[in-house]
């Protein structure tokens, strides 16, 4: 079997005797590397226009995307603008790279006053543009909360409450962003409409199942096919209240977004510069280079994180026991965006910590029940699982045994959505820091035949 050296300097020459943690982390790093803006932007940059080029945008990859444009844009062509990213997500500036685009920081996943101020400034930059100007819009996951500008009748406090309730409800990303678009003065195509008559080119990194550009960051520069009626249905489904004024505006269609076919979008271009599938395929190629079989289940997996974990566990168990069409030793890869429904808790019970990746890992570990020959890593490709400082977690054959030795039961932690504390206690959190990109969930399950483990 081939050898690789990870960032830790550990070499793996045989999956049976090497460190599965290092191998899994290597695959994650490869997936992230594939999605970095500097590697993917050049082929999609337009020719500089006769007039000005104004760069605007939002997302967790915003800082890195802005630096990529600064590095690749002709030095003698005008370039200016403003991009907003999450706190602590501006990458170190390469030596000698001239700063031409301002990058500011704001809160994610719940918006704050900094994001509101940035959105207002970005909208102001669209004023006075001509048909000779170009607007280059840099969009990545996280932009929905970072680019916050509530519609009339909605306060920042309203948006914060609604965001929190959506995040805890179990709503999927399509549902959440349908509501966000219709309560916004800048999302759902409104930002591009404000740029008229300038041409708009949107470069986007996908963090949504199916790569639907109208869903990524709530689609500020693309037409929106969803309706006010859809937003109302979702609000009712999850029991989320809005004021009587906002409800009346939704009922009447007064908060409707620009639709496909709107002439204000004519001549606009949208380019996906990085996608979840590309990163999963890169990880699969890296696994095959090590002599492993690699299988990509899908980049569009949704559903409750813990339940998705159980499904992956069933597949891993049957593969380890030779009862699957997958041939071990192998790596099973998947992506998408799962959800976590926050469970009710007693008043005296501390709030659980953790995100989708950790919840997946708890569900996986519980269902595996210590299955020999199975290891896994699940992490968010932006380096942040939920609102914590970890990217995700690892699952080992002895995960439950080590937790039991510390007096912990995975079922108790699942009951209070407390993945962070569970994996922190056994030393299996995955810590990366911000990666400066975001193609959503990454899951890798390493399976070695049970017979090989018994030898």
């Amino acid at each position: 079997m081939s050898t690789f050296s990870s960032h830790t300097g550990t070499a793996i020459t045989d999956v049976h005797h090497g460190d599965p943690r290092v191998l899994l982390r290597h695959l994650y790093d490869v997936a992230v590397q594939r999605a970095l803006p500097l590697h993917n932007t050049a082929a999609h940059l337009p020719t500089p226009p006769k007039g000005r080029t104004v760069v605007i945008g939002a997302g967790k990859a915003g800082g890195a995307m802005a630096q990529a444009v600064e590095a690749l844009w002709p030095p003698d062509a005008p370039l200016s603008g403003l991009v907003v990213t999450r706190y602590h997500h501006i990458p170190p500036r390469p030596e000698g790279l001239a700063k031409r685009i301002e990058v500011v920081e704001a809160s994610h996943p719940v918006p704050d006053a900094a994001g509101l101020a940035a959105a207002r400034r970005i909208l102001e930059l669209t004023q006075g543009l001509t048909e000779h100007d170009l607007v280059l819009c840099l969009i990545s996951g996280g932009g929905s909360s970072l680019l916050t500008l509530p519609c009339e009748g909605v306060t920042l406090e309203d948006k914060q409450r609604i965001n929190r309730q959506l995040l805890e409800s179990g709503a999927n990303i399509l549902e959440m962003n349908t509501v966000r678009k219709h309560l916004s003065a800048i999302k759902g195509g409104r930002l591009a409409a404000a740029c008229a008559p300038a041409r708009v080119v949107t470069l986007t990194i996908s963090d949504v199942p199916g790569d639907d550009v109208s869903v990524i960051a709530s689609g500020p520069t693309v037409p929106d096919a969803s309706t006010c009626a859809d937003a109302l249905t979702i609000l009712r489904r999850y029991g989320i209240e809005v004021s009587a004024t906002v409800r009346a505006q939704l009922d009447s269609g007064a908060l409707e977004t620009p639709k496909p076919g709107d002439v204000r979008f004519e001549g606009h271009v949208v380019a996906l510069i990085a996608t979840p599938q590309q990163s999963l395929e890169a990880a699969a190629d890296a696994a095959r280079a090590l002599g492993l079989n690699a299988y990509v289940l899908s980049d569009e997996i949704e559903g409750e994180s813990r339940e998705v974990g159980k499904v992956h566990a069933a597949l891993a168990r049957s593969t380890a026991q030779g009862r699957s069409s997958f041939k071990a030793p192998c790596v099973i890869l998947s992506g998408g965006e799962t959800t976590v429904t926050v469970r009710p808790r007693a008043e005296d019970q501390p709030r659980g910590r953790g995100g989708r990746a950790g919840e997946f890992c708890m569900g996986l570990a519980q269902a595996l029940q210590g299955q020999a020959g199975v290891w896994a890593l699940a992490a968010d490709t932006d380096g942040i699982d939920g609102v914590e400082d970890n990217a995700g977690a690892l699952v080992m054959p002895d995960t439950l045994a080590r937790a039991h030795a510390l007096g912990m039961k995975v079922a108790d932690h699942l009951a209070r959505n407390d993945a962070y504390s569970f994996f922190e206690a056994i030393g299996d959190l995955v810590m990366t820091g911000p990666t400066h990109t975001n193609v959503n969930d990454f899951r890798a399950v390493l399976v070695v035949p049970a017979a090989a483990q018994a030898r």
Side-chain angles (χ1 to χ4, degrees):
M1 191 172 287
S2 304
T3 300
F4 77 85
S5 294
S6 77
H7 68 286
T8 64
T10 304
I12 292 181
T13 56
D14 186 287
V15 70
H16 298 186
H17 302 105
D19 185 348
R21 295 168 179 260
V22 177
L23 187 149
L24 291 167
R25 176 59 189 269
H26 170 68
L27 299 183
Y28 170 84
D29 289 343
V30 167
V32 168
Q33 189 80 2
R34 175 63 180 83
L36 291 177
L38 189 59
H39 302 160
N40 299 288
T41 300
H44 303 286
L45 284 177
T47 303
K50 292 181 181 178
R52 295 184 297 145
T53 297
V54 177
V55 179
I56 56 178
K60 286 181 274 190
M65 294 179 82
Q67 287 187 7
V69 172
E70 288 173 325
L72 298 166
W73 198 251
D76 57 345
L79 187 71
S80 63
L82 174 67
V83 172
V84 57
T85 191
R86 181 176 175 162
Y87 290 120
H88 312 302
H89 276 58
I90 300 176
R93 176 164 291 274
E95 186 176 351
L97 179 63
K99 184 175 180 61
R100 297 194 276 176
I101 303 167
E102 183 183 358
V103 181
V104 298
E105 298 177 322
S107 175
H108 175 277
V110 177
D112 67 357
L116 179 63
R120 285 175 174 155
R121 290 183 60 199
I122 285 171
L123 204 55
E124 288 169 2
L125 289 176
T126 68
Q127 304 305 301
L129 295 170
T130 74
E131 67 273 17
H132 300 299
D133 298 325
L134 169 69
V135 175
L136 191 57
C137 194
L138 310 179
I139 296 296
S140 57
S144 290
S145 66
L146 296 166
L147 194 67
T148 188
L149 188 60
C151 64
E152 186 176 350
V154 177
T155 66
L156 175 60
E157 291 72 24
D158 291 334
K159 288 293 290 285
Q160 290 171 331
R161 173 183 58 80
I162 292 167
N163 255 36
R164 288 192 186 97
Q165 290 177 329
L166 284 169
L167 288 165
E168 295 181 357
S169 70
N172 64 35
I173 190 63
L174 174 61
E175 293 172 318
M176 287 194 286
N177 286 0
T178 295
V179 172
R180 288 162 164 166
K181 290 175 192 179
H182 289 89
L183 301 183
S184 173
I186 197 168
K187 302 184 184 76
R190 294 184 178 94
L191 179 58
C195 294
R199 180 172 180 244
V200 178
V201 173
T202 301
L203 306 185
T204 186
I205 295 177
S206 174
D207 72 325
V208 302
D211 302 331
D212 184 342
V213 294
S214 73
V215 179
I216 302 166
S218 298
T221 60
V222 294
D224 173 40
S226 71
T227 65
C228 286
D230 295 330
L232 270 174
T233 298
I234 294 162
L235 289 167
R236 292 191 187 105
R237 180 178 302 150
Y238 295 105
I240 298 172
E241 293 297 325
V242 293
S243 70
T245 301
V246 171
R247 185 171 296 277
Q249 290 184 88
L250 289 172
D251 275 325
S252 69
L255 298 180
E256 203 51 89
T257 48
K259 299 301 174 211
D262 192 311
V263 296
R264 290 172 293 182
F265 297 98
E266 288 182 3
H268 292 196
V269 174
V270 180
L272 284 161
I273 69 168
T275 67
Q277 185 67 26
Q278 291 170 348
S279 286
L280 291 173
E281 292 293 350
D285 288 343
R288 293 178 188 121
L290 296 170
L292 293 166
N293 295 310
Y295 306 98
V296 177
L297 294 182
S298 173
D299 69 335
E300 299 186 40
I301 293 178
E302 297 181 87
E304 279 289 322
S305 296
R306 63 180 67 191
E307 301 303 323
V308 173
K310 292 175 183 177
V311 173
H312 281 65
L315 183 55
R317 285 173 66 92
S318 63
T319 301
Q321 295 163 11
R323 298 184 290 105
S324 164
S325 59
F326 290 174
K327 183 176 175 56
C330 68
V331 173
I332 302 167
L333 299 159
S334 71
E337 181 159 358
T338 59
T339 53
V340 174
T341 301
V342 177
R343 269 53 180 178
R345 58 190 174 91
E347 288 187 9
D348 60 345
Q349 185 182 59
R351 186 180 182 88
R353 300 175 61 194
R356 301 189 306 263
E359 186 108 347
F360 167 89
C361 286
M362 287 198 295
L364 179 75
Q366 184 182 52
L368 283 173
Q369 287 296 306
Q371 170 68 50
V374 178
W375 299 261
L377 178 150
D380 199 306
T381 51
D382 66 2
I384 305 296
D385 189 21
V387 297
E388 305 299 339
D389 59 359
N390 67 312
L394 290 153
V395 174
M396 307 286 129
D398 63 350
T399 290
L400 296 185
R402 285 184 288 123
H404 180 74
L406 295 175
M408 298 191 305
K409 295 180 180 178
V410 70
D412 294 340
H413 285 258
L414 275 167
R416 60 177 184 267
N417 305 106
D418 194 16
Y420 190 97
S421 298
F422 182 84
F423 289 105
E424 181 183 42
I426 59 175
D428 283 341
L429 291 175
V430 174
M431 312 292 284
T432 67
T435 64
H436 310 299
T437 190
N438 181 21
V439 288
N440 231 324
D441 299 348
F442 174 86
R443 295 175 289 268
V445 182
L446 171 65
V447 184
V448 173
Q453 287 293 306
R455 287 200 297 268

